[in-house]
Amino acid sequence: MASRREKSGQSVLGSRIAVAIGIGILVGCVCAFLFPHGFFSPPNPSLQSRRLVKSNLQIDSSSCDSSERISMLKSDIAGLSEKNAELMKQVRELNDKLRLAEQGKGHAQEQVVALDKPHEAGPFGTVKGLRTNPTVMADESVNPRLAKILTEVAVRKELIVALANSNVKAMLEVWFTSIKRVGITNYLVVALDDGIAEFCKSNEVPFYKRDPDEDIDSVARGGGNHAVSGLKFRILREFLQLGYSVLLSDVDIVYLQNPFDHLYRDSDVESMTDGHNNMTAYGYNDVFDEPKMGWARYAHTMRIWVYNSGFFYIRPTIPSIELLDRVADRLARPPSAWDQAVFNEELFYPSHPGYVGLYAAKRTMDYYLFMNSKVLFKTVRKDANLRKFKPVIIHINYHPDKLPRMKAVVEFYVNGKQDALEPFPDGSDW
Ligand SMILES: *[C@@H]1O[C@H](CO)[C@@H](O)[C@H](O)[C@H]1NC(C)=O
């Protein structure tokens, strides 16, 4: 894995150099075309006179003449640097595509290796288990209408999906405005009522209104936060069955960069964390002390802060769909439970007597890139270095005053208002 990463890094570097040389040659050609006699040779009289005819004929002093030529050169240079910027943008886009292609190739190789006929283990240190499960075969008959929408909206078979009813309209507006601002086009609002459908339509936000389904619709209309959260696992299933990867997003999230440039795509579920430092986000050995056990007083336990079920990337695989089904099924039955707790229990509890755990691959997202509001308000805003760093998203998951904090995040990160985050306490005041 590590060696392949390096190799792909090298090839990206190599192709960047190649592209840079290409740009050099191209800019040289453009210059040669515009200045066939070089920058410093005497001006071509015919060209010069033609230009002078075009400009003001009455003024004919040599100083004006040269200043005019300078301004012409300046505008030529401006034109060239514009072209250069355009080319640089294309290079960036091509590099992105290349990186994605390399990534895809890597996953495909891993799958072939793992799914191939039985094979011997390689030498020490070279053995890698299967982490990237194969995607399911897409089945359009599940929902042809949604399939059509997804063909139009998704990019490389992936998109952001949010569920919204009229209770969250104000947050939804901040949400899609931030998404549009960073140029993301592959996102879709699942409108749970007519008000939100209308709102999306009038703001040119891609949306999808489900076919009537009494079971689900009664929850969608009147449902509180947690009930609607349970619904999303049922609705998501169709997206995966249609063969799409979904970046599920709550609406109390502000986008500052395109998240699709920052995913690994090597796991069934890649999720943001509720953790706030390396230990809590990525897992640690929490030692439990029981002094009366004497020599064996220390019991080691494994701990990790929960994954945030309001922002995760899920690939269309069998374990992913099994996860959605397990969570939806448990939320539909008593005892009533918090969807995020259920989501994590299903993901992490191992098989044991009387229980078969889920065999899904999981990855924790970088908590500085995919930042929760505890990290922002408790740590980042008070640290001169961390303040300068731009996250990919910020999720106001830890605070009940979501809308004002979302707006403050936009003020701070987008409009550069340095004191925008100051009025808020670290936690909520109750
Ligand atoms: C936290 O983890 C990251 C990468 O996983 C590492 O680069 C960094 O040094 C760690 N920070 C601390 C304080 O251990």
Side-chain angles (χ1 to χ4, degrees):
M1 195 69 186
S3 66
R4 214 194 45 253
R5 277 268 152 72
E6 268 166 34
K7 253 196 291 183
S8 86
Q10 272 168 12
S11 75
V12 169
L13 184 68
S15 67
R16 275 194 192 151
I17 291 169
V19 173
I21 291 169
I23 291 177
I25 292 170
L26 203 67
V27 171
C29 292
V30 173
C31 291
F33 177 73
L34 290 177
F35 307 99
H37 304 285
F39 288 109
F40 304 110
S41 63
N44 177 335
S46 70
L47 183 70
Q48 192 198 350
S49 58
R50 209 169 62 230
R51 281 186 179 170
L52 280 177
V53 168
K54 259 203 267 170
S55 70
N56 197 337
L57 278 172
Q58 284 148 342
I59 302 170
D60 197 13
S61 86
S62 63
S63 79
C64 273
D65 178 40
S66 70
S67 77
E68 189 169 328
R69 263 174 41 223
I70 286 170
S71 78
M72 273 177 214
L73 279 173
K74 270 187 186 153
S75 83
D76 284 345
I77 288 168
L80 279 175
S81 44
E82 231 167 68
K83 253 184 215 153
N84 197 28
E86 175 62 26
L87 285 170
M88 292 302 279
K89 189 165 155 253
Q90 285 178 17
V91 170
R92 264 200 310 278
E93 283 166 7
L94 284 171
N95 270 330
D96 278 348
K97 277 192 189 143
L98 188 69
R99 194 172 44 77
L100 285 169
E102 291 277 346
Q103 226 171 37
K105 203 174 76 191
H107 293 339
Q109 274 165 359
E110 256 161 30
Q111 285 174 25
V112 169
V113 169
L115 296 173
D116 209 359
K117 287 181 281 299
H119 50 275
E120 290 169 4
F124 177 80
T126 66
V127 181
K128 305 274 183 250
L130 176 66
R131 19 174 123 49
T132 308
N133 284 305
T135 55
V136 295
M137 213 160 22
D139 177 7
E140 288 216 350
S141 69
V142 171
N143 187 336
R145 189 166 65 85
L146 179 59
K148 186 160 172 295
I149 295 175
L150 293 184
T151 321
E152 287 156 16
V153 171
V155 173
R156 295 188 205 98
K157 288 266 174 187
E158 53 188 18
L159 75 160
I160 298 169
V161 174
L163 273 65
N165 62 19
S166 290
N167 297 337
V168 297
K169 188 169 166 180
M171 280 193 282
L172 185 69
E173 184 166 18
V174 181
W175 180 85
F176 67 63
T177 306
S178 74
I179 286 182
K180 290 179 179 181
R181 190 184 297 114
V182 292
I184 300 165
T185 58
N186 49 332
Y187 68 106
L188 185 72
V189 174
V190 177
L192 298 176
D193 58 37
D194 291 329
I196 283 296
E198 279 306 314
F199 186 55
C200 288
K201 196 184 278 177
S202 62
N203 285 285
E204 293 178 0
V205 167
F207 71 98
Y208 159 67
K209 184 124 197 313
R210 295 172 45 82
D211 293 330
D213 176 336
E214 202 29 61
D215 234 18
I216 290 181
D217 292 351
S218 56
V219 180
R221 276 191 307 268
N225 239 348
H226 286 186
V228 171
S229 294
L231 205 115
K232 80 185 171 202
F233 296 95
R234 296 182 55 171
I235 294 178
L236 269 187
R237 187 187 215 276
E238 287 188 347
F239 287 77
L240 301 203
Q241 276 183 287
L242 294 171
Y244 290 85
S245 297
V246 173
L247 184 56
L248 187 281
S249 174
D250 280 353
V251 295
D252 52 347
I253 290 177
V254 176
Y255 288 72
L256 302 168
Q257 296 185 56
N258 189 334
F260 293 109
D261 296 339
H262 300 271
L263 298 175
Y264 287 78
R265 302 178 175 82
D266 63 351
S267 305
D268 296 301
V269 177
E270 190 171 340
S271 177
M272 81 171 286
T273 170
D274 274 6
H276 54 269
N277 56 22
N278 278 11
M279 283 169 67
T280 57
Y282 306 145
Y284 68 105
N285 181 354
D286 188 22
V287 181
F288 174 80
D289 185 9
E290 204 175 355
K292 73 164 188 276
M293 286 304 293
W295 177 76
R297 63 185 287 175
Y298 301 115
H300 295 254
T301 74
M302 306 311 303
R303 291 194 74 187
I304 188 167
W305 262 229
V306 287
Y307 279 7
N308 190 290
S309 62
F311 190 87
F312 59 88
Y313 178 77
I314 186 164
R315 295 179 59 248
T317 65
I318 293 294
S320 295
I321 294 174
E322 186 181 355
L323 170 68
L324 296 179
D325 288 359
R326 283 174 177 240
V327 176
D329 180 57
R330 270 189 58 191
L331 291 173
R333 287 183 293 108
S336 76
W338 182 28
D339 73 291
Q340 180 157 288
V342 174
F343 180 74
N344 279 272
E345 287 167 12
E346 294 298 334
L347 260 180
F348 287 96
Y349 285 162
S351 298
H352 53 259
Y355 177 76
V356 179
L358 183 75
Y359 290 77
K362 36 206 175 282
R363 165 182 283 281
T364 311
M365 289 175 172
D366 185 316
Y367 63 89
Y368 282 133
L369 290 177
F370 299 89
M371 195 184 287
N372 62 55
S373 56
K374 176 149 113 185
V375 172
L376 176 65
F377 284 97
K378 226 186 79 175
T379 312
V380 169
R381 68 167 169 170
K382 301 170 187 169
D383 183 304
N385 282 322
L386 292 174
R387 278 168 72 93
K388 288 184 216 145
F389 169 83
K390 187 183 253 193
V392 177
I393 61 136
I394 289 178
H395 188 177
I396 312 294
N397 61 321
Y398 267 106
H399 298 91
D401 47 348
K402 293 175 183 301
L403 188 58
R405 289 194 194 238
M406 284 175 84
K407 288 180 172 165
V409 164
V410 173
E411 284 299 319
F412 181 78
Y413 282 105
V414 180
N415 302 330
K417 199 173 155 217
Q418 286 303 309
D419 60 352
L421 301 173
E422 303 317 319
F424 300 92
D426 286 6
S428 76
D429 287 332
W430 285 99

Short mmCIF file of all heavy atoms in Angstrom, two decimals, residues 285-318:
data_model
loop_
_atom_site.label_atom_id
_atom_site.label_comp_id
_atom_site.label_asym_id
_atom_site.label_seq_id
_atom_site.Cartn_x
_atom_site.Cartn_y
_atom_site.Cartn_z
N ASN A 285 -5.77 3.07 23.65
CA ASN A 285 -5.80 2.02 24.66
C ASN A 285 -6.11 2.68 26.00
O ASN A 285 -5.26 3.35 26.57
CB ASN A 285 -4.42 1.35 24.65
CG ASN A 285 -4.33 0.22 25.64
OD1 ASN A 285 -5.24 -0.01 26.43
ND2 ASN A 285 -3.22 -0.48 25.62
N ASP A 286 -7.31 2.52 26.46
CA ASP A 286 -7.74 3.18 27.70
C ASP A 286 -7.58 2.18 28.85
O ASP A 286 -8.29 1.19 28.91
CB ASP A 286 -9.21 3.62 27.53
CG ASP A 286 -9.67 4.48 28.69
OD1 ASP A 286 -8.81 5.09 29.37
OD2 ASP A 286 -10.89 4.57 28.90
N VAL A 287 -6.67 2.46 29.74
CA VAL A 287 -6.36 1.49 30.79
C VAL A 287 -7.28 1.69 31.99
O VAL A 287 -7.38 2.77 32.56
CB VAL A 287 -4.89 1.59 31.22
CG1 VAL A 287 -4.58 0.55 32.29
CG2 VAL A 287 -3.98 1.40 30.01
N PHE A 288 -7.95 0.61 32.34
CA PHE A 288 -8.93 0.61 33.42
C PHE A 288 -8.23 0.03 34.66
O PHE A 288 -7.65 -1.04 34.59
CB PHE A 288 -10.11 -0.25 32.97
CG PHE A 288 -11.16 -0.50 34.01
CD1 PHE A 288 -12.12 0.46 34.29
CD2 PHE A 288 -11.21 -1.71 34.71
CE1 PHE A 288 -13.11 0.22 35.23
CE2 PHE A 288 -12.19 -1.95 35.65
CZ PHE A 288 -13.13 -0.98 35.91
N ASP A 289 -8.30 0.74 35.76
CA ASP A 289 -7.53 0.34 36.94
C ASP A 289 -8.44 -0.24 38.03
O ASP A 289 -9.40 0.40 38.46
CB ASP A 289 -6.80 1.58 37.47
CG ASP A 289 -5.87 1.21 38.62
OD1 ASP A 289 -5.69 0.01 38.88
OD2 ASP A 289 -5.34 2.14 39.26
N GLU A 290 -8.12 -1.44 38.47
CA GLU A 290 -8.89 -2.10 39.52
C GLU A 290 -7.90 -2.59 40.58
O GLU A 290 -7.47 -3.75 40.56
CB GLU A 290 -9.66 -3.28 38.90
CG GLU A 290 -10.89 -3.69 39.66
CD GLU A 290 -11.67 -4.78 38.92
OE1 GLU A 290 -11.31 -5.13 37.79
OE2 GLU A 290 -12.65 -5.27 39.49
N PRO A 291 -7.50 -1.70 41.55
CA PRO A 291 -6.38 -1.99 42.46
C PRO A 291 -6.53 -3.30 43.21
O PRO A 291 -5.54 -4.00 43.45
CB PRO A 291 -6.40 -0.80 43.43
CG PRO A 291 -7.09 0.28 42.68
CD PRO A 291 -8.08 -0.39 41.79
N LYS A 292 -7.75 -3.71 43.55
CA LYS A 292 -7.86 -4.92 44.36
C LYS A 292 -7.45 -6.18 43.59
O LYS A 292 -7.29 -7.24 44.19
CB LYS A 292 -9.27 -5.04 44.96
CG LYS A 292 -10.37 -5.42 44.01
CD LYS A 292 -11.59 -5.86 44.85
CE LYS A 292 -12.69 -6.45 44.01
NZ LYS A 292 -13.59 -5.45 43.42
N MET A 293 -7.23 -6.05 42.28
CA MET A 293 -6.75 -7.19 41.50
C MET A 293 -5.23 -7.34 41.60
O MET A 293 -4.64 -8.25 41.01
CB MET A 293 -7.15 -7.05 40.03
CG MET A 293 -8.62 -7.30 39.76
SD MET A 293 -9.18 -8.91 40.34
CE MET A 293 -8.28 -10.00 39.25
N GLY A 294 -4.60 -6.43 42.35
CA GLY A 294 -3.16 -6.58 42.60
C GLY A 294 -2.33 -6.52 41.34
O GLY A 294 -2.39 -5.57 40.58
N TRP A 295 -1.61 -7.62 41.12
CA TRP A 295 -0.69 -7.71 39.97
C TRP A 295 -1.41 -7.41 38.65
O TRP A 295 -0.85 -6.83 37.74
CB TRP A 295 -0.10 -9.12 39.96
CG TRP A 295 0.81 -9.39 38.80
CD1 TRP A 295 2.09 -8.96 38.65
CD2 TRP A 295 0.51 -10.15 37.63
NE1 TRP A 295 2.61 -9.39 37.47
CE2 TRP A 295 1.66 -10.14 36.81
CE3 TRP A 295 -0.63 -10.86 37.17
CZ2 TRP A 295 1.72 -10.79 35.58
CZ3 TRP A 295 -0.57 -11.51 35.95
CH2 TRP A 295 0.60 -11.47 35.17
N ALA A 296 -2.66 -7.79 38.56
CA ALA A 296 -3.41 -7.60 37.32
C ALA A 296 -4.39 -6.44 37.44
O ALA A 296 -5.49 -6.48 36.91
CB ALA A 296 -4.16 -8.88 36.95
N ARG A 297 -4.00 -5.39 38.18
CA ARG A 297 -4.93 -4.28 38.42
C ARG A 297 -5.28 -3.54 37.13
O ARG A 297 -6.33 -2.92 37.04
CB ARG A 297 -4.35 -3.30 39.45
CG ARG A 297 -3.07 -2.63 38.99
CD ARG A 297 -2.47 -1.77 40.08
NE ARG A 297 -3.23 -0.55 40.30
CZ ARG A 297 -2.97 0.32 41.26
NH1 ARG A 297 -1.98 0.09 42.13
NH2 ARG A 297 -3.67 1.42 41.38
N TYR A 298 -4.42 -3.57 36.12
CA TYR A 298 -4.67 -2.79 34.91
C TYR A 298 -5.33 -3.64 33.82
O TYR A 298 -4.76 -4.63 33.36
CB TYR A 298 -3.37 -2.20 34.36
CG TYR A 298 -2.68 -1.28 35.35
CD1 TYR A 298 -1.43 -1.61 35.88
CD2 TYR A 298 -3.30 -0.11 35.78
CE1 TYR A 298 -0.80 -0.77 36.79
CE2 TYR A 298 -2.68 0.72 36.70
CZ TYR A 298 -1.44 0.39 37.21
OH TYR A 298 -0.83 1.22 38.11
N ALA A 299 -6.50 -3.24 33.40
CA ALA A 299 -7.16 -3.91 32.28
C ALA A 299 -7.17 -2.93 31.11
O ALA A 299 -7.57 -1.77 31.26
CB ALA A 299 -8.59 -4.31 32.65
N HIS A 300 -6.71 -3.40 29.98
CA HIS A 300 -6.64 -2.52 28.82
C HIS A 300 -7.93 -2.57 28.03
O HIS A 300 -8.48 -3.63 27.80
CB HIS A 300 -5.45 -2.91 27.95
CG HIS A 300 -4.15 -2.70 28.64
ND1 HIS A 300 -3.30 -1.69 28.33
CD2 HIS A 300 -3.58 -3.38 29.68
CE1 HIS A 300 -2.25 -1.73 29.14
NE2 HIS A 300 -2.39 -2.74 29.96
N THR A 301 -8.44 -1.41 27.62
CA THR A 301 -9.68 -1.37 26.85
C THR A 301 -9.44 -0.57 25.58
O THR A 301 -8.57 0.29 25.53
CB THR A 301 -10.82 -0.71 27.64
OG1 THR A 301 -10.60 0.70 27.71
CG2 THR A 301 -10.92 -1.26 29.06
N MET A 302 -10.21 -0.86 24.56
CA MET A 302 -10.09 -0.14 23.30
C MET A 302 -11.19 0.91 23.21
O MET A 302 -12.36 0.58 23.39
CB MET A 302 -10.24 -1.10 22.10
CG MET A 302 -9.29 -2.29 22.12
SD MET A 302 -7.58 -1.81 22.41
CE MET A 302 -7.33 -0.65 21.08
N ARG A 303 -10.79 2.14 22.95
CA ARG A 303 -11.82 3.18 22.86
C ARG A 303 -11.65 4.04 21.63
O ARG A 303 -10.54 4.26 21.15
CB ARG A 303 -11.75 4.07 24.11
CG ARG A 303 -12.17 3.36 25.36
CD ARG A 303 -12.40 4.32 26.48
NE ARG A 303 -13.64 5.06 26.30
CZ ARG A 303 -14.01 6.07 27.08
NH1 ARG A 303 -13.23 6.50 28.04
NH2 ARG A 303 -15.16 6.69 26.88
N ILE A 304 -12.76 4.52 21.15
CA ILE A 304 -12.74 5.48 20.04
C ILE A 304 -14.02 6.31 20.15
O ILE A 304 -15.07 5.79 20.53
CB ILE A 304 -12.63 4.73 18.68
CG1 ILE A 304 -12.42 5.71 17.54
CG2 ILE A 304 -13.86 3.87 18.42
CD1 ILE A 304 -12.00 5.03 16.23
N TRP A 305 -13.91 7.60 19.88
CA TRP A 305 -15.12 8.44 19.88
C TRP A 305 -15.98 8.06 18.67
O TRP A 305 -15.44 7.67 17.62
CB TRP A 305 -14.72 9.92 19.82
CG TRP A 305 -14.69 10.64 21.13
CD1 TRP A 305 -15.26 11.85 21.40
CD2 TRP A 305 -14.03 10.26 22.35
NE1 TRP A 305 -15.01 12.21 22.70
CE2 TRP A 305 -14.27 11.26 23.31
CE3 TRP A 305 -13.28 9.15 22.75
CZ2 TRP A 305 -13.78 11.19 24.61
CZ3 TRP A 305 -12.79 9.07 24.04
CH2 TRP A 305 -13.05 10.08 24.96
N VAL A 306 -17.28 8.19 18.80
CA VAL A 306 -18.16 7.66 17.75
C VAL A 306 -17.95 8.36 16.40
O VAL A 306 -17.52 9.51 16.33
CB VAL A 306 -19.65 7.79 18.12
CG1 VAL A 306 -20.04 6.80 19.19
CG2 VAL A 306 -20.02 9.21 18.49
N TYR A 307 -18.28 7.62 15.36
CA TYR A 307 -18.37 8.21 14.02
C TYR A 307 -19.62 9.08 13.98
O TYR A 307 -20.63 8.78 14.62
CB TYR A 307 -18.49 7.10 12.97
CG TYR A 307 -17.17 6.47 12.59
CD1 TYR A 307 -16.00 6.79 13.27
CD2 TYR A 307 -17.09 5.56 11.54
CE1 TYR A 307 -14.79 6.23 12.91
CE2 TYR A 307 -15.88 4.99 11.18
CZ TYR A 307 -14.73 5.32 11.87
OH TYR A 307 -13.54 4.76 11.51
N ASN A 308 -19.53 10.15 13.21
CA ASN A 308 -20.67 11.04 13.12
C ASN A 308 -21.59 10.58 12.00
O ASN A 308 -21.23 10.61 10.82
CB ASN A 308 -20.20 12.47 12.87
CG ASN A 308 -21.33 13.45 13.02
OD1 ASN A 308 -22.23 13.48 12.19
ND2 ASN A 308 -21.32 14.20 14.10
N SER A 309 -22.80 10.16 12.37
CA SER A 309 -23.70 9.62 11.35
C SER A 309 -24.37 10.74 10.55
O SER A 309 -25.24 10.48 9.72
CB SER A 309 -24.76 8.73 12.00
OG SER A 309 -25.55 9.50 12.88
N GLY A 310 -23.91 11.96 10.74
CA GLY A 310 -24.42 13.08 9.93
C GLY A 310 -23.48 13.48 8.81
O GLY A 310 -23.77 14.39 8.04
N PHE A 311 -22.34 12.82 8.72
CA PHE A 311 -21.44 13.10 7.60
C PHE A 311 -20.53 11.90 7.39
O PHE A 311 -19.56 11.70 8.11
CB PHE A 311 -20.59 14.36 7.87
CG PHE A 311 -19.83 14.83 6.66
CD1 PHE A 311 -20.41 15.70 5.73
CD2 PHE A 311 -18.53 14.38 6.42
CE1 PHE A 311 -19.71 16.12 4.61
CE2 PHE A 311 -17.83 14.79 5.30
CZ PHE A 311 -18.42 15.67 4.40
N PHE A 312 -20.89 11.07 6.40
CA PHE A 312 -20.05 9.92 6.08
C PHE A 312 -20.19 9.60 4.60
O PHE A 312 -21.19 9.90 3.96
CB PHE A 312 -20.41 8.71 6.93
CG PHE A 312 -21.83 8.24 6.80
CD1 PHE A 312 -22.21 7.32 5.83
CD2 PHE A 312 -22.82 8.73 7.66
CE1 PHE A 312 -23.53 6.89 5.71
CE2 PHE A 312 -24.14 8.30 7.54
CZ PHE A 312 -24.49 7.38 6.57
N TYR A 313 -19.10 9.01 4.08
CA TYR A 313 -19.06 8.60 2.68
C TYR A 313 -19.24 7.09 2.66
O TYR A 313 -18.52 6.37 3.34
CB TYR A 313 -17.70 8.99 2.09
CG TYR A 313 -17.48 8.57 0.66
CD1 TYR A 313 -18.07 9.28 -0.39
CD2 TYR A 313 -16.67 7.48 0.34
CE1 TYR A 313 -17.86 8.91 -1.71
CE2 TYR A 313 -16.45 7.11 -0.98
CZ TYR A 313 -17.04 7.83 -1.99
OH TYR A 313 -16.83 7.46 -3.30
N ILE A 314 -20.22 6.63 1.90
CA ILE A 314 -20.52 5.20 1.91
C ILE A 314 -20.52 4.67 0.48
O ILE A 314 -21.16 5.23 -0.40
CB ILE A 314 -21.85 4.91 2.66
CG1 ILE A 314 -22.10 3.42 2.81
CG2 ILE A 314 -23.04 5.64 2.04
CD1 ILE A 314 -23.15 3.08 3.86
N ARG A 315 -19.73 3.62 0.26
CA ARG A 315 -19.60 3.05 -1.07
C ARG A 315 -20.68 2.00 -1.30
O ARG A 315 -21.15 1.37 -0.36
CB ARG A 315 -18.21 2.42 -1.25
CG ARG A 315 -17.07 3.45 -1.20
CD ARG A 315 -15.71 2.78 -1.35
NE ARG A 315 -15.62 2.06 -2.61
CZ ARG A 315 -15.54 0.73 -2.71
NH1 ARG A 315 -15.51 -0.01 -1.64
NH2 ARG A 315 -15.49 0.16 -3.90
N PRO A 316 -21.07 1.79 -2.56
CA PRO A 316 -22.16 0.84 -2.84
C PRO A 316 -21.66 -0.60 -2.82
O PRO A 316 -21.41 -1.19 -3.85
CB PRO A 316 -22.62 1.26 -4.24
CG PRO A 316 -21.42 1.85 -4.89
CD PRO A 316 -20.60 2.47 -3.79
N THR A 317 -21.52 -1.13 -1.62
CA THR A 317 -21.04 -2.51 -1.46
C THR A 317 -22.05 -3.28 -0.62
O THR A 317 -22.93 -2.69 0.02
CB THR A 317 -19.69 -2.53 -0.72
OG1 THR A 317 -19.90 -2.06 0.61
CG2 THR A 317 -18.66 -1.67 -1.41
N ILE A 318 -21.89 -4.57 -0.58
CA ILE A 318 -22.79 -5.41 0.23
C ILE A 318 -22.69 -5.07 1.72
O ILE A 318 -23.72 -4.85 2.37
CB ILE A 318 -22.51 -6.92 -0.03
CG1 ILE A 318 -22.89 -7.28 -1.48
CG2 ILE A 318 -23.26 -7.79 0.95
CD1 ILE A 318 -24.37 -7.17 -1.80
#
